[in-house]
Amino acid sequence: MVDVILGLQWGDEGKGKIVDYFAPKYDIIARFQGGPNAGHTLYVEGKKMVLHQIPSGIFHQNTINVIGGGVVLDPVTLKRECDAVAAHGIDVRKNLFISERTNIIVPTHRALDKASELAKGESKIGSTLKGIGPAYMDKTGRNALRVGDLLDKSFTTQYIKLRLKHQKLLDNFHFIEDISAWEEEFFEALEFLRTLNIVNGEYFVNNKISEGKKVLAEGAQGSMLDIDYGTFPFVTSSNTISAGVCTGLGVSPKQINEVMGVTKAYCTRVGGGPFPSELEDATGEELRKVGNEFGATTGRPRRCGWIDLVALRYACMINGVTQVIMTKADVLDAFEELKVCTAYSINGKETREVPFQMTKVKIDPVLESFKGWNTDTSAIKDAKKLPATMTSYIDFINKYIGAPVKHVSNGPGREQIVHI
Ligand code: GDP
Ligand code: IMO
Ligand code: MG
């Protein structure tokens, strides 16, 4: 049995905190896609930790953490993260397992990401520059190096071949940065990676399922950044939606049980691309300030706006969401008035559907107003104590998206969650 926790917006919904909270109910936490573009924040003994490659169950001693075949892995980031985790007394050799099929991000992938973004100029994606796009291109182009290849004698020859191919592409971009320091770090990190548990991920996970173990698949990014169903081309390069769990871990759709979707009580986006309910005014600034909306991976200020129910309903549909977790509700505590986007107006026509393409048309949000609750909710533990104004805000959302909000997160701490 596999449950899933994934993002319903454009990432940074608070997945890390939620996975860390639910981790004790599961035997295995598995990442199925994405790479170091992810930044999942959790608090361990009051100390902030940001995880990029390692699943968010790592701080629970008895939980097995799996990096699945659908992930792209930067060995340098992984090594750095393993060192940070070890400082908390966690032995990654005991509870971290990496699939042989996981694709490796090489230094030239990062260089290519940078070169490609520079070449795009004004229309750049706003990539995290971690090499994600080029690494997935080498996967679909059938050139990639995978973690299992590390155990093969031909690895260095394969690496040199790939590097030469990349060099030609970099020459075309007139990219002339010296990457030798990156390479040195990379080879050191590969030595470290060789010492970790490298397994046949699909048998590993399926055998555990057969033994009756419970698996939680942890999404990275968000549904609106999905390569196929997101706001293309302003997306990431993997399937972030629930279907990605099957391809990313090698499990059958029959194994998927609950799909828990995480959304903020408002909305953010980092990087370029359409964001119909964005607030480019003082209210947006206030959301950024109160919500501390700065990227966990790049530190960039996040764009802020009202919750977009058109996009949220769409995300619930394509993921088959069975329950919703609403995070950062406390961030709205001090707002007199709240708004939600209930339709898109395109060329004077209103729609409740996410259009095929959102970049070449002007989308005006149709907004509905709500009274704010104007109370500090961050210490509430019992759903009955939630202000009536918040309950009616949530009821409206439930009805619109057709999926129930079952948990409300009211602070970054592990214990700050209310079950409805
Ligand atoms: P992720 O990528 O989905 O794991 O989310 P990030 O870690 O990038 O961003 C979410 C941010 O919100 C982090 O700084 C969390 O500590 C914080 N956070 C998560 N849940 C809550 C919440 O309910 N209230 C508040 N105020 N902060 C939260
Ligand atoms: P988590 O897991 C928010 C965004 C980037 C950019 C686009 C493509 O923390 O929610 P990429 O590096 O993948 O080529 O960037 O996707 N992006 C994210 N935004 N949270 C993330 O991850 C993201 N990962 C990528 O800002 O717009
Ligand atoms: Mg994040």
Side-chain angles (χ1 to χ4, degrees):
M1 197 270 306
V2 182
D3 287 346
V4 184
I5 289 185
L6 48 72
L8 296 176
Q9 300 171 308
W10 281 278
D12 301 330
E13 297 90 347
K15 300 173 290 292
K17 169 198 155 155
I18 300 301
V19 170
D20 174 56
Y21 174 81
F22 283 107
K25 289 190 170 184
Y26 294 89
D27 302 293
I28 298 175
I29 312 292
R31 275 278 305 271
F32 57 94
Q33 48 69 231
N37 48 349
H40 298 177
T41 315
L42 23 125
Y43 284 84
V44 190
E45 288 145 13
K47 252 187 93 181
K48 181 173 163 174
M49 283 293 306
V50 181
L51 295 171
H52 303 284
Q53 291 277 187
I54 301 180
S56 302
I58 198 72
F59 294 104
H60 299 272
Q61 295 279 359
N62 299 319
T63 309
I64 288 175
N65 290 267
V66 173
I67 296 180
V71 169
V72 287
L73 181 70
D74 181 340
V76 176
T77 308
L78 180 74
K79 181 175 184 299
R80 210 174 289 144
E81 216 160 281
C82 285
D83 291 344
V85 161
H88 286 266
I90 302 290
D91 180 3
V92 287
R93 289 190 178 79
K94 201 182 114 216
N95 65 356
L96 179 67
F97 294 80
I98 304 167
S99 168
E100 290 167 324
R101 292 186 192 271
T102 306
N103 284 239
I104 298 175
I105 300 179
V106 300
T108 37
H109 283 144
R110 281 202 274 162
L112 282 166
D113 211 357
K114 206 168 164 185
S116 153
E117 281 283 78
L118 275 172
K120 282 197 163 106
E122 285 280 287
S123 56
K124 69 174 185 180
I125 312 277
S127 156
T128 58
L129 304 179
K130 303 292 179 190
I132 307 298
Y136 277 113
M137 276 166 71
D138 272 336
K139 174 180 174 167
T140 51
R142 295 161 291 184
N143 292 308
L145 286 166
R146 301 185 294 173
V147 170
D149 295 329
L150 270 176
L151 311 176
D152 196 283
K153 280 201 293 289
S154 67
F155 182 84
T156 311
T157 319
Q158 277 180 271
Y159 172 78
I160 292 168
K161 221 171 117 189
L162 188 62
R163 196 198 186 295
L164 280 173
K165 180 190 147 231
H166 289 167
Q167 194 54 57
K168 285 193 192 127
L169 295 170
L170 288 168
D171 290 346
N172 273 341
F173 279 120
H174 306 292
F175 186 87
I176 38 162
E177 229 169 272
D178 178 13
I179 62 159
S180 53
W182 287 2
E183 259 188 328
E184 204 173 300
E185 250 189 314
F186 173 71
F187 275 101
E188 253 178 62
L190 286 184
E191 282 314 308
F192 171 77
L193 180 53
R194 280 194 180 96
T195 69
L196 299 182
N197 299 304
I198 297 172
V199 295
N200 181 311
E202 53 279 21
Y203 280 103
F204 185 85
V205 172
N206 280 290
N207 287 342
K208 295 282 183 200
I209 294 173
S210 301
E211 289 163 22
K213 304 281 189 218
K214 290 174 78 180
V215 180
L216 178 64
E218 171 182 5
Q221 290 79 54
S223 303
M224 299 308 286
L225 288 171
D226 181 89
I227 180 71
D228 288 302
Y229 296 97
T231 48
F232 191 86
F234 295 92
V235 291
T236 188
S237 300
S238 64
N239 282 118
T240 58
I241 60 173
S242 56
V245 174
C246 297
T247 52
L249 296 180
V251 297
S252 133
K254 282 189 247 169
Q255 300 293 351
I256 308 291
N257 184 43
E258 294 279 339
V259 179
M260 298 182 264
V262 189
T263 176
K264 281 179 188 167
Y266 50 98
C267 195
T268 64
R269 169 163 209 167
V270 55
F275 182 0
S277 61
E278 181 171 15
L279 290 163
E280 289 175 280
D281 58 6
T283 312
E285 193 55 52
E286 186 70 3
L287 278 172
R288 185 159 36 251
K289 203 175 97 208
V290 183
N292 192 23
E293 295 296 356
F294 296 89
T297 298
T298 57
R300 290 177 290 177
R302 294 178 184 143
R303 299 156 63 192
C304 296
W306 298 120
I307 195 166
D308 179 345
L309 298 187
V310 178
L312 199 60
R313 191 172 74 114
Y314 170 80
C316 287
M317 174 180 79
I318 55 179
N319 284 301
V321 166
T322 57
Q323 50 176 292
V324 175
I325 299 156
M326 181 182 281
T327 57
K328 305 195 89 159
D330 55 300
V331 172
L332 300 183
D333 280 357
F335 286 77
E336 295 279 340
E337 185 192 25
L338 307 175
K339 288 186 185 169
V340 303
C341 170
T342 54
Y344 294 161
S345 172
I346 306 169
N347 297 326
K349 266 183 128 176
E350 276 187 26
T351 176
R352 278 161 51 108
E353 292 188 359
V354 171
F356 152 72
Q357 80 87 11
M358 295 172 73
T359 47
K360 294 182 188 135
V361 286
K362 185 170 179 309
I363 302 180
D364 293 313
V366 176
L367 300 168
E368 196 151 320
S369 283
F370 282 80
K371 201 171 171 309
W373 38 91
N374 253 287
T375 338
D376 180 353
T377 60
S378 62
I380 295 177
K381 303 255 177 267
D382 179 359
K384 288 194 207 85
K385 302 254 165 70
L386 291 175
T389 31
M390 187 194 277
T391 317
S392 49
Y393 181 74
I394 292 171
D395 282 348
F396 182 88
I397 293 171
N398 285 346
K399 280 203 193 83
Y400 189 104
I401 63 177
V405 172
K406 290 271 196 179
H407 313 273
V408 175
S409 171
N410 53 346
R414 233 182 221 172
E415 70 297 346
Q416 288 175 296
I417 189 159
V418 181
H419 309 293
I420 296 183

